[in-house]
């Protein structure tokens, strides 16, 4: 069966520090991969998605970037965090077309001090 | 935009009652999906209804879709305290291979 791993679960970082969040999927090949941010009590904002290795689509211009160095690995990065980068970050995957059901990781709670 | 909008934003009911949440969207779709999110966790896919379907059941869940009104409803029957969560609808765009767009969600509280 397929599983998705996202870490760390919580992270506290100072303003201006770098960020690297990692997401990996097991049990499937060539998944579509997604990074979302969710503000407290709010909906999901799609940040990036990828349909293949090295293929990244950005939905919102921001302080963040994404990379897909391997088929089942998706990384969210920042060179310098801002206070506004705080939030709950979710990784997800889906098979086939982009409108297939998505399967989510358990998220990373990022607090910027 | 294509974003679905859930209604109400928050709903509080007693255990055993039915909970109904609605979702409206703006453009034609291939399918509409409902997800559940427990506090502090990732979303879990509940049910997918295709544009040519009008109703779908899964256990205590019943989803309807009215493409003429561009709306969907999620009914949870005989609710339990464990149903307390946020519920999101997600829609695609009928044309092109584009990602799902999630609504802002309905926060359901089931009081024991």
């Amino acid at each position: 069966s397929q599983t998705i791993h996202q870490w760390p679960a919580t992270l506290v970082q100072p303003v201006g520090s770098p960020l690297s969040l990692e997401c990996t999927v097991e049990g499937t090949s060539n998944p579509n991969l997604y990074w979302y941010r969710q503000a407290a009590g709010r909906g999901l904002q799609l940040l990036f998605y990828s349909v293949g290795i090295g293929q990244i689509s950005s939905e919102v211009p921001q302080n963040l970037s994404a990379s897909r160095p391997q088929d089942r690995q998706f990384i969210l990065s920042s060179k310098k965090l801002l206070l506004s980068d705080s939030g709950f970050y979710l990784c997800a995957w889906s098979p086939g077309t982009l409108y297939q059901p998505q399967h989510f990781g358990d998220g990373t709670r990022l607090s910027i001090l | 935009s294509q974003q679905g909008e859930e209604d109400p934003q928050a709903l509080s009911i007693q255990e055993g009652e039915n909970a109904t949440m609605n979702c409206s969207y703006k453009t034609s779709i291939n399918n509409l999906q409902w997800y559940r999110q427990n506090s502090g966790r990732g979303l879990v896919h509940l049910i997918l209804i295709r544009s040519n379907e009008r109703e779908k059941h899964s256990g205590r869940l019943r989803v309807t879709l009215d493409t003429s009104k561009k709306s969907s409803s999620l009914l949870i029957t005989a609710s339990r305290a464990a149903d307390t969560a946020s519920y999101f609808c997600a829609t695609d765009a009928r044309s092109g291979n584009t990602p799902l767009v999630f609504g802002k969600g309905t926060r359901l509280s089931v009081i024991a």
Side-chain angles (χ1 to χ4, degrees):
Chain A
S1 65
Q2 302 91 359
T3 56
I4 179 168
H5 303 279
Q6 188 182 344
W7 68 93
T10 58
L11 190 59
V12 180
Q13 292 282 102
V15 169
S17 64
L19 173 74
S20 181
L21 301 180
E22 189 165 341
C23 173
T24 59
V25 180
E26 295 178 356
T28 188
S29 57
N30 197 31
N32 301 309
L33 296 170
Y34 310 85
W35 277 112
Y36 292 91
R37 177 167 59 203
Q38 186 177 32
R42 304 288 297 278
L44 276 70
Q45 179 186 34
L46 179 62
L47 302 175
F48 302 94
Y49 68 94
S50 172
V51 299
I53 296 174
Q55 300 179 61
I56 308 295
S57 296
S58 174
E59 290 292 292
V60 182
Q62 61 218 323
N63 184 40
L64 302 168
S65 62
S67 62
R68 185 172 177 172
Q70 300 181 45
D71 182 43
R72 289 167 288 180
Q73 184 185 30
F74 206 24
I75 297 172
L76 183 68
S77 304
S78 173
K79 292 182 180 177
K80 278 185 151 181
L81 286 168
L82 306 172
L83 283 174
S84 58
D85 292 323
S86 292
F88 189 51
Y89 288 82
L90 288 160
C91 180
W93 75 274
S94 70
T97 58
L98 289 173
Y99 50 81
Q100 294 299 314
Q102 295 182 14
H103 308 275
F104 285 78
D106 280 336
T108 294
R109 177 80 54 195
L110 176 62
S111 299
I112 311 299
L113 303 179
Chain B
S1 73
Q2 176 60 19
Q3 185 176 38
E5 292 286 337
E6 291 91 343
D7 170 62
Q9 291 186 2
L11 179 62
S12 184
I13 60 173
Q14 297 290 323
E15 203 167 32
E17 294 180 338
N18 296 340
T20 299
M21 289 157 272
N22 303 296
C23 170
S24 59
Y25 57 92
K26 295 182 180 175
T27 62
S28 297
I29 59 173
N30 290 301
N31 63 63
L32 185 144
Q33 304 177 33
W34 285 92
Y35 290 76
R36 167 196 169 122
Q37 183 183 31
N38 288 357
S39 181
R41 304 296 298 274
L43 279 71
V44 175
H45 179 258
L46 294 176
I47 197 164
L48 178 153
I49 186 165
R50 301 187 193 285
S51 60
N52 62 354
E53 298 176 310
R54 291 296 167 258
E55 189 171 309
K56 203 161 183 180
H57 297 255
S58 177
R60 293 184 296 112
L61 305 181
R62 174 182 164 232
V63 170
T64 62
L65 179 63
D66 187 335
T67 53
S68 67
K69 295 181 180 178
K70 293 186 171 58
S71 68
S72 173
S73 67
L74 170 66
L75 169 68
I76 304 174
T77 60
S79 64
R80 306 166 181 168
D83 294 327
T84 295
S86 292
Y87 293 83
F88 296 85
C89 68
T91 54
D92 61 12
R94 190 165 186 88
S95 60
N97 186 24
T98 57
L100 299 176
V101 178
F102 287 81
K104 294 179 181 178
T106 292
R107 188 174 303 160
L108 173 66
S109 298
V110 182
I111 303 165

